[in-house]
Amino acid sequence: MAEERFDAIVVGAGPAGSAAAYTMASGGLKVALIERGEFPGAKNVFGGVLYRKQLEELIPEWWKEAPIERQIIEQRMWILGKESAVTFSHRNEKYKEPPNCFTGLRVKFDQWLAGKAEKAGAVPIYETVVTELIHQNGKVVGVRTDRENGDLYGDIVILADGVNSLLGKSLGVHKEWAPDEVSLAVKEIIALPKEKIQDRFNLDDNEGCTIEFIGDTFGMAGLGFIYTNQDTISLGVGVMVNDLKKKKIKPYEVLDSIKQHPSIRRLIQGGEVKEYSGHLIPEGGFTSMPPLSGDGWMICGDAAQMVNAVHREGTNLAIASGKIAGEIAIKAHQAGDYSIRALGEYDRSVKSSFIHNDLKKYRGIHGLFKEMNSDTLFGSLPQALNDAAYEWLLVDGVFKKEKQRKAVRTLKSAAGGNMELLRLGLKGWRAING
Amino acid sequence: MLHIVACIKQVPDSREIRIDPKTNTLIRQGVPAIVNFYDLHGLEEALRIKDEYGARVTVVTMGPPSADKALKLCVSMGADEGVLISDRAFAGADTLATSYVVALAVEKAAQEWGPVDIVFCGKQTLDGDTGQVGPGVACRLDYDQLTYVEKVEHLDEAKKEIIVHRHLEDGVERVKAKLPVLITALAELNKPRRAGLPGVLKAGRYQPVVWTTNDFPDIDRSKIGLKGSPTIVGKTWVPEPKKVETQMLTAESTAVLAEQLIDSLYATELPAKLGWA
Ligand SMILES: Cc1cc2nc3c(=O)[nH]c(=O)nc-3n(C[C@H](O)[C@H](O)[C@H](O)COP(=O)(O)OP(=O)(O)OC[C@H]3O[C@@H](n4cnc5c(N)ncnc54)[C@H](O)[C@@H]3O)c2cc1C
């Protein structure tokens, strides 16, 4: 056992844990920050887009010192057919000032954010795995690590151990994943000369662009992404685990096939794959969110399911929840009360924040995917939309009226008839409007 | 009390090094830094002596400010003090200039924390591979040098004697020497420990001692840095990958396949070379 006691112990130096540690250390608490990786971010994976807003509330103008890649001024959404795409996008110079979001790489970003917590006084304990929580009289009073004399005691333990939170499971607030609550993402980082990236994506200097796409994922519920970094491109796809199981397709097979799509192939041509990684994404959202605190503990970020899959927001929810947990911990420390009575304030704060409200808005999405056939939603419908667009734009002498009828018919039959199309529209509308 | 100095170097993790095909130079950018692993075997032996006899262990490294990470690792394992010798004037040093500065640092460590009994170095570094710094330091300090040590058999604290096994090409040499000595460590010497939690906590807050040229009033500036380094790299190149013949084995079962593999291996000169035949 380590002799030293801490006011707070944070497990996991991802965005949630480092934000919590930074908040508490800046508030004068004695904080230990434990991370299993060789250093924070060493093995962490995300898309990734970092958002200005939530971190700015913690570290003003953070993007001026943090290792970011590009400032995003254009976001595109693609609906892919077999060899076609229907695209939407928005580009706006206004996204420059104030900036809205950035591309980043976790290896650098997590290290930087944890470094801020260290500088604020948090004691780094890296390459160390927390194996279990230590309980006394029904309260969490510390953590057991995999090091010799590895027990560490503290008044509050903050769990920020990510999507597969073993500690959350041990508390019983985090159940085993159901295959329809989680998707498996694979990602490649592809190196390309800076000029090529800027030409291919229509960008200047530090401007960046994001592309998200659905369709062409073998009829499985999935979302793909392409993000521009300084001299690399992040390309990946996340697919619902139950669909992968059903279709017996490996995620990298999906990625390989997507790389051949004519709209994508050219963007990455000549690039060298530098890194390959995989990670789970919690998709359960609002309905799978556990209780967030108890006697001596609070849980934040992915460990508490705080991912808004529709808007690919995760790091910002993680950071915001870490900050709130940190603030509640400071109050609890001042009051000398670490019971659920004091820490329950965290649940209430999260409830009134954007985290709870945004996740609640989309709570129907999970049910929609569950109910709907992925083949329809992610296979035949995107294809039908592409076919309709093709017909509509093809100049072949057919009367426009007939063309319109044909286009609508294509969509209808893909959905399984008039009523089905209507029902789907309604369901979809409800799912994204809480 | 015994005073042991362990010399370490932070090196790029050679498992992650790639070569820029255009310039034929090492891509160091983004390659994680680790402690040269032979050095860790030296440190571990120092710590074992500390555990058994009681000793003060000082770690020294010459390097950029970022090398403080390496020193923190050593402190987490149990070293008492970590010294970072860091100054722009030291940059560009070859093995001659490096051994000059490291020897000065050992002398200074002796002034600060008591006479030095043993200096540990690694056999060689992963990035330079010369194996010259250890012997260089020993010469400059006029210590007996015990290179390629695979075992410390005995240490007699009272008589100030040490018995070690040196692994040489044609056998093992068992040597008794009078302290102070400089030992260069092989990987066989021991298995470096994983720091316990109290050590990690200590290291988390530890700030290494930093020595710059100003801390060595008598330093001869013509002997340090690039100026003090007569080594000239004439040429570097990447060896052409050798073409080797490949033979694919197929069989109905793994057992048969294994048989085939062994048969075809024994059909080569390899077993004879390795002394298996
Ligand atoms: C492919 C993919 C793309 C994504 N894209 C985006 C995006 O573009 N934008 C966005 O905002 N979000 C994105 N997300 C989501 C985002 O990555 C997460 O929401 C966010 O990282 C959550 O942060 P966290 O700190 O809660 O967890 P994590 O980042 O997972 O951090 C948990 C940390 O805890 C450590 N840890 C775990 N267990 C232990 C233990 N027992 N002991 C010690 N340490 C432990 C881990 O090593 C890790 O460092 C994406 C996710 C994926 C997988």
Side-chain angles (χ1 to χ4, degrees), chain A residues 11-17 34-37 41 44-51 106 110 128-131 160-163 167 185 225 227 279-281 300-303 306-307 312-316 318:
Chain A
V11 185
I34 309 182
E35 166 59 46
R36 71 175 168 201
N44 292 350
V45 181
F46 87 141
V49 178
L50 297 161
Y51 301 89
R106 294 286 297 276
D110 286 14
T128 304
V129 181
V130 171
T131 53
D161 53 343
V163 54
L167 302 178
F225 57 85
Y227 302 140
H279 204 274
L280 294 175
I281 310 180
C300 350
D302 272 15
M306 296 173 184
V307 168
R312 61 127 150 74
E313 292 178 29
T315 52
N316 53 333

Coordinates of all heavy atoms in Angstrom, one line a residue, chain A residues 11-17 34-37 41 44-51 106 110 128-131 160-163 167 185 225 227 279-281 300-303 306-307 312-316 318, ligand 1:
Chain A
V11 N -9.2 7.5 -12.5 CA -8.8 6.3 -13.3 C -9.0 6.6 -14.7 O -10.2 6.8 -15.2 CB -9.5 5.1 -12.8 CG1 -9.0 3.9 -13.6 CG2 -9.5 4.9 -11.3
G12 N -8.0 6.7 -15.5 CA -8.1 6.9 -17.0 C -7.7 8.3 -17.3 O -8.3 9.3 -16.8
A13 N -6.7 8.5 -18.2 CA -6.2 9.8 -18.6 C -6.7 10.1 -20.0 O -5.9 10.5 -20.9 CB -4.7 10.0 -18.4
G14 N -7.9 9.7 -20.3 CA -8.5 10.2 -21.6 C -9.0 11.6 -21.4 O -8.7 12.2 -20.3
P15 N -9.8 12.1 -22.3 CA -10.3 13.5 -22.2 C -11.1 13.7 -20.9 O -11.0 14.7 -20.2 CB -11.2 13.7 -23.4 CG -10.8 12.6 -24.4 CD -10.2 11.5 -23.6
A16 N -11.9 12.7 -20.5 CA -12.8 12.8 -19.3 C -11.9 12.9 -18.0 O -12.0 13.8 -17.2 CB -13.7 11.7 -19.2
G17 N -11.0 11.9 -17.9 CA -10.2 11.9 -16.7 C -9.2 13.0 -16.6 O -9.1 13.6 -15.5
I34 N -4.3 8.1 -12.8 CA -3.8 6.8 -13.2 C -4.2 6.4 -14.6 O -5.4 6.6 -15.0 CB -4.4 5.7 -12.2 CG1 -4.2 6.2 -10.8 CG2 -3.7 4.4 -12.5 CD1 -4.6 5.2 -9.7
E35 N -3.2 6.0 -15.4 CA -3.5 5.6 -16.8 C -2.7 4.3 -17.1 O -1.5 4.2 -16.7 CB -3.0 6.7 -17.7 CG -2.9 6.4 -19.2 CD -4.1 5.9 -19.8 OE1 -5.2 6.5 -19.6 OE2 -4.1 4.9 -20.5
R36 N -3.4 3.4 -17.8 CA -2.7 2.1 -18.0 C -1.7 2.2 -19.2 O -0.8 1.4 -19.3 CB -3.7 1.0 -18.3 CG -4.4 1.2 -19.6 CD -5.4 0.1 -19.9 NE -6.2 0.5 -21.0 CZ -7.4 0.1 -21.4 NH1 -7.9 -0.9 -20.7 NH2 -8.0 0.5 -22.4
G37 N -1.9 3.1 -20.1 CA -1.1 3.3 -21.3 C 0.3 3.7 -20.8 O 0.5 4.3 -19.8
G41 N -2.9 8.6 -24.0 CA -3.2 8.6 -25.5 C -2.4 7.6 -26.3 O -2.6 7.4 -27.5
N44 N -5.0 5.2 -27.4 CA -6.4 5.7 -27.6 C -6.7 6.0 -29.0 O -5.9 6.5 -29.8 CB -6.6 6.9 -26.7 CG -6.6 6.5 -25.2 OD1 -6.6 5.3 -24.9 ND2 -6.6 7.5 -24.3
V45 N -8.0 5.8 -29.4 CA -8.4 5.9 -30.8 C -9.7 6.8 -30.8 O -10.6 6.6 -30.0 CB -8.8 4.6 -31.4 CG1 -9.2 4.7 -32.8 CG2 -7.6 3.6 -31.2
F46 N -9.7 7.7 -31.7 CA -11.0 8.3 -32.1 C -10.9 8.8 -33.5 O -10.0 8.5 -34.2 CB -11.4 9.4 -31.1 CG -10.9 10.8 -31.4 CD1 -11.7 11.9 -31.2 CD2 -9.6 11.0 -31.8 CE1 -11.3 13.2 -31.5 CE2 -9.1 12.3 -32.1 CZ -10.0 13.4 -31.9
G47 N -11.9 9.5 -34.0 CA -12.0 9.8 -35.4 C -10.9 10.7 -36.0 O -10.1 10.3 -36.8
G48 N -10.8 11.9 -35.7 CA -11.3 12.6 -34.6 C -11.4 14.1 -34.8 O -10.5 14.8 -35.2
V49 N -12.6 14.5 -34.4 CA -12.9 15.9 -34.3 C -12.9 16.4 -32.9 O -13.6 15.8 -32.0 CB -14.2 16.2 -35.0 CG1 -14.5 17.6 -35.0 CG2 -14.1 15.7 -36.5
L50 N -12.2 17.5 -32.6 CA -12.2 18.0 -31.3 C -13.0 19.3 -31.3 O -12.9 20.1 -32.3 CB -10.8 18.3 -30.8 CG -9.9 17.1 -30.7 CD1 -8.4 17.6 -30.8 CD2 -10.2 16.4 -29.4
Y51 N -13.8 19.6 -30.3 CA -14.7 20.7 -30.3 C -14.1 21.8 -29.4 O -13.6 21.6 -28.4 CB -16.1 20.4 -29.9 CG -16.6 19.3 -30.9 CD1 -16.4 17.9 -30.6 CD2 -17.3 19.7 -32.0 CE1 -16.9 17.0 -31.5 CE2 -17.7 18.7 -32.9 CZ -17.5 17.4 -32.6 OH -18.0 16.4 -33.5
R106 N -5.2 11.5 -31.1 CA -5.2 11.3 -29.7 C -3.9 11.2 -29.0 O -3.7 11.6 -27.9 CB -6.1 10.1 -29.4 CG -7.5 10.2 -29.7 CD -8.3 11.2 -28.8 NE -8.3 10.6 -27.4 CZ -9.2 9.8 -27.0 NH1 -10.1 9.3 -27.7 NH2 -9.1 9.4 -25.7
D110 N -4.2 13.8 -26.1 CA -4.3 13.2 -24.7 C -3.1 13.5 -23.8 O -3.2 13.8 -22.7 CB -4.6 11.7 -24.7 CG -6.0 11.4 -25.2 OD1 -6.7 12.3 -25.8 OD2 -6.4 10.2 -25.0
T128 N 0.1 2.0 -15.5 CA -0.4 1.3 -14.3 C -1.9 1.0 -14.5 O -2.7 1.9 -14.8 CB -0.3 2.3 -13.1 OG1 1.1 2.6 -12.9 CG2 -0.7 1.6 -11.8
V129 N -2.3 -0.2 -14.3 CA -3.7 -0.6 -14.5 C -4.4 -0.7 -13.1 O -3.9 -1.3 -12.2 CB -3.8 -2.0 -15.1 CG1 -5.2 -2.4 -15.4 CG2 -3.0 -2.1 -16.4
V130 N -5.5 -0.1 -13.1 CA -6.4 -0.2 -11.9 C -7.1 -1.5 -12.0 O -7.9 -1.7 -13.0 CB -7.4 0.9 -11.7 CG1 -8.4 0.6 -10.6 CG2 -6.6 2.2 -11.4
T131 N -6.9 -2.5 -11.1 CA -7.5 -3.8 -11.3 C -8.9 -3.9 -10.6 O -9.7 -4.6 -11.0 CB -6.6 -4.9 -10.8 OG1 -6.2 -4.5 -9.4 CG2 -5.4 -5.0 -11.6
A160 N -13.0 7.2 -15.1 CA -13.0 7.7 -16.5 C -12.3 6.7 -17.4 O -11.4 7.1 -18.1 CB -12.4 9.1 -16.5
D161 N -12.7 5.4 -17.2 CA -11.9 4.4 -17.8 C -12.4 3.9 -19.1 O -12.1 2.8 -19.6 CB -11.7 3.2 -16.8 CG -13.0 2.7 -16.2 OD1 -14.0 3.4 -16.3 OD2 -13.0 1.6 -15.7
G162 N -13.3 4.7 -19.8 CA -13.6 4.5 -21.2 C -14.7 3.5 -21.4 O -15.3 2.9 -20.4
V163 N -15.0 3.2 -22.7 CA -16.2 2.5 -23.1 C -16.3 1.2 -22.4 O -17.4 0.7 -22.1 CB -16.2 2.4 -24.6 CG1 -14.9 1.8 -25.2 CG2 -17.3 1.6 -25.2
L167 N -14.4 -1.1 -14.2 CA -14.7 -0.7 -12.9 C -16.1 -0.4 -12.7 O -16.8 -0.7 -11.7 CB -13.8 0.5 -12.5 CG -12.3 0.2 -12.6 CD1 -11.5 1.5 -12.3 CD2 -11.9 -0.9 -11.7
A185 N -15.3 0.1 -34.4 CA -14.8 1.0 -35.5 C -13.3 0.6 -35.8 O -12.6 0.2 -34.9 CB -14.8 2.4 -35.0
F225 N -16.0 7.7 -41.9 CA -15.5 9.0 -41.8 C -14.2 9.2 -42.5 O -13.4 8.3 -42.6 CB -15.4 9.5 -40.4 CG -14.5 8.6 -39.5 CD1 -13.2 8.8 -39.5 CD2 -15.1 7.6 -38.8 CE1 -12.3 8.0 -38.7 CE2 -14.3 6.8 -38.0 CZ -12.9 7.0 -37.9
Y227 N -11.3 12.3 -42.3 CA -10.9 13.6 -41.7 C -9.5 14.0 -42.2 O -8.6 13.2 -42.3 CB -10.9 13.6 -40.2 CG -12.2 13.1 -39.6 CD1 -12.3 12.3 -38.5 CD2 -13.4 13.6 -40.1 CE1 -13.5 11.9 -37.9 CE2 -14.6 13.2 -39.6 CZ -14.7 12.4 -38.5 OH -15.9 12.0 -37.9
H279 N -11.5 0.2 -32.2 CA -12.0 0.6 -30.9 C -13.5 0.5 -30.9 O -14.2 0.6 -31.9 CB -11.7 2.1 -30.6 CG -11.6 2.5 -29.2 ND1 -12.7 2.9 -28.5 CD2 -10.6 2.5 -28.3 CE1 -12.4 3.1 -27.2 NE2 -11.1 2.9 -27.1
L280 N -14.1 0.3 -29.7 CA -15.6 0.3 -29.6 C -16.1 1.7 -29.4 O -15.5 2.6 -28.9 CB -15.9 -0.5 -28.3 CG -15.6 -2.0 -28.3 CD1 -15.9 -2.6 -27.0 CD2 -16.4 -2.7 -29.4
I281 N -17.3 1.9 -29.9 CA -18.1 3.1 -29.6 C -19.4 2.8 -29.0 O -20.1 2.0 -29.5 CB -18.4 3.9 -30.9 CG1 -17.1 4.0 -31.8 CG2 -19.0 5.3 -30.6 CD1 -17.4 4.8 -33.1
C300 N -17.5 9.2 -15.5 CA -17.7 10.2 -16.6 C -17.3 9.6 -17.9 O -16.7 8.6 -18.0 CB -16.9 11.5 -16.4 SG -16.1 11.7 -14.9
G301 N -17.7 10.4 -18.9 CA -17.2 10.1 -20.3 C -17.8 8.8 -20.9 O -18.9 8.5 -20.5
D302 N -17.0 8.2 -21.7 CA -17.5 6.9 -22.3 C -17.9 5.9 -21.3 O -18.8 5.1 -21.6 CB -16.3 6.4 -23.2 CG -16.4 6.9 -24.6 OD1 -17.0 7.9 -24.8 OD2 -15.7 6.3 -25.5
A303 N -17.2 5.9 -20.2 CA -17.6 4.9 -19.2 C -19.0 5.0 -18.8 O -19.7 4.0 -18.4 CB -16.7 5.0 -18.0
M306 N -21.5 8.4 -22.5 CA -21.8 9.7 -23.0 C -21.3 10.0 -24.4 O -20.3 10.7 -24.5 CB -21.3 10.8 -22.0 CG -21.9 10.7 -20.6 SD -21.1 11.8 -19.5 CE -21.9 11.5 -18.0
V307 N -21.9 9.4 -25.3 CA -21.5 9.6 -26.7 C -22.7 10.0 -27.5 O -23.8 9.3 -27.4 CB -20.8 8.4 -27.3 CG1 -20.7 8.6 -28.8 CG2 -19.4 8.2 -26.7
R312 N -21.4 12.6 -33.9 CA -20.0 12.1 -33.6 C -19.3 13.0 -32.5 O -18.2 13.4 -32.6 CB -19.2 12.0 -34.8 CG -18.9 13.3 -35.6 CD -17.5 13.7 -35.9 NE -17.5 14.4 -37.1 CZ -17.8 15.6 -37.3 NH1 -18.3 16.3 -36.3 NH2 -17.7 16.2 -38.5
E313 N -20.1 13.3 -31.5 CA -19.5 14.0 -30.4 C -19.3 13.0 -29.2 O -20.2 12.3 -28.9 CB -20.5 15.1 -29.9 CG -20.6 16.3 -30.9 CD -21.6 17.3 -30.4 OE1 -21.7 17.5 -29.2 OE2 -22.2 18.0 -31.2
G314 N -18.1 13.1 -28.7 CA -17.8 12.2 -27.6 C -16.8 12.9 -26.6 O -17.0 13.0 -25.4
T315 N -15.7 13.3 -27.2 CA -14.6 14.0 -26.4 C -15.2 15.2 -25.7 O -14.8 15.4 -24.5 CB -13.5 14.5 -27.3 OG1 -14.0 15.3 -28.4 CG2 -12.7 13.3 -27.9
N316 N -16.1 15.9 -26.3 CA -16.6 17.1 -25.6 C -17.5 16.8 -24.5 O -17.5 17.4 -23.5 CB -17.3 18.1 -26.6 CG -18.3 17.4 -27.5 OD1 -18.3 16.2 -27.7 ND2 -19.3 18.1 -27.9
A318 N -17.2 14.0 -22.8 CA -16.2 13.5 -21.8 C -15.6 14.6 -21.0 O -15.6 14.6 -19.8 CB -15.2 12.7 -22.5
Ligands
LIG1 C1 -13.5 5.4 -34.2 C2 -14.0 6.5 -33.2 C3 -14.2 7.7 -33.7 C4 -14.6 8.7 -32.9 N1 -14.7 10.0 -33.3 C5 -15.0 11.0 -32.5 C6 -14.9 12.4 -33.0 O1 -14.6 12.6 -34.1 N2 -15.1 13.4 -32.1 C7 -15.4 13.1 -30.8 O2 -15.6 14.1 -30.0 N3 -15.5 11.8 -30.3 C8 -15.2 10.8 -31.1 N4 -15.2 9.5 -30.6 C9 -15.6 9.3 -29.2 C10 -14.5 9.7 -28.3 O3 -13.3 9.0 -28.7 C11 -14.8 9.2 -26.9 O4 -16.1 9.7 -26.6 C12 -13.8 9.9 -25.9 O5 -12.5 9.4 -26.1 C13 -14.2 9.5 -24.5 O6 -13.2 9.9 -23.6 P1 -13.0 9.2 -22.2 O7 -12.0 9.9 -21.5 O8 -14.3 9.0 -21.5 O9 -12.5 7.7 -22.5 P2 -11.2 7.2 -23.3 O10 -10.8 8.2 -24.2 O11 -11.5 5.9 -23.8 O12 -10.1 7.2 -22.1 C14 -10.1 6.1 -21.2 C15 -8.7 6.0 -20.6 O13 -8.7 5.1 -19.5 C16 -7.7 4.3 -19.6 N5 -8.0 3.1 -18.8 C17 -9.1 2.2 -19.0 N6 -9.1 1.3 -18.1 C18 -8.2 1.5 -17.2 C19 -7.7 0.9 -16.0 N7 -8.3 -0.1 -15.5 N8 -6.7 1.4 -15.3 C20 -6.0 2.5 -15.8 N9 -6.4 3.2 -17.0 C21 -7.4 2.7 -17.6 C22 -7.5 4.0 -21.0 O14 -6.2 3.6 -21.3 C23 -7.8 5.4 -21.6 O15 -6.7 6.2 -21.7 C24 -14.8 8.5 -31.5 C25 -14.6 7.2 -31.0 C26 -14.2 6.2 -31.9 C27 -13.9 4.8 -31.3

